[in-house]
Amino acid sequence: MSDLANIIKTLQDRFEGKVPTDLDAIFQFDVDGKVLNLTVKDGDYSLKEGANPDAGVTFITDMGTLQEMINGETDGMTAFMSGKLRTEGDMSLAMKLGQLLGG
């Protein structure tokens, strides 16, 4: 299984039964040049490979940092402050994903 496939599986496990019904957003991840998007709407989610032009925020990082964030070994703010994570787009939306991963 590829690293990206492992990320998708881990995200699916983390989100199962925990997606808020009032969140309607598209998050995008650019990980070592590979793009993955997460659409959250009406208490459900979908993960797909590839770019989504409607993404509200894009997280740009490397595979190791993303894995650490998803596994709870580091948080987005720490990764951002250390220069391992960049964001483009809506920062308040970025924080909502952080809350979802932390929950």
Side-chain angles (χ1 to χ4, degrees):
M1 186 178 289
S2 73
D3 287 338
L4 195 54
N6 283 329
I7 294 291
I8 291 171
K9 172 73 172 114
T10 302
L11 282 171
Q12 289 171 333
D13 292 345
R14 294 286 300 273
F15 293 147
E16 197 62 40
K18 294 196 288 187
V19 179
T21 57
D22 61 343
L23 183 57
D24 182 2
I26 300 171
F27 304 93
Q28 189 157 267
F29 303 88
D30 182 336
V31 183
D32 295 330
K34 295 179 184 175
V35 180
L36 171 71
N37 69 77
L38 166 67
T39 301
V40 178
K41 185 172 183 165
D42 299 328
D44 202 5
Y45 69 93
S46 66
L47 284 159
K48 297 180 183 173
E49 289 190 49
N52 187 320
D54 297 323
V57 63
T58 300
F59 300 93
I60 304 161
T61 191
D62 61 77
M63 187 63 68
T65 301
L66 182 60
Q67 287 177 325
E68 288 174 4
M69 290 170 52
I70 290 172
N71 293 332
E73 297 165 13
T74 191
D75 61 46
M77 185 59 70
T78 301
F80 182 81
M81 297 301 283
S82 67
K84 294 181 178 181
L85 172 69
R86 289 185 310 136
T87 60
E88 294 177 356
D90 185 344
M91 284 303 292
S92 66
L93 194 56
M95 296 182 80
K96 287 184 183 185
L97 181 64
Q99 292 169 352
L100 182 59
L101 286 174

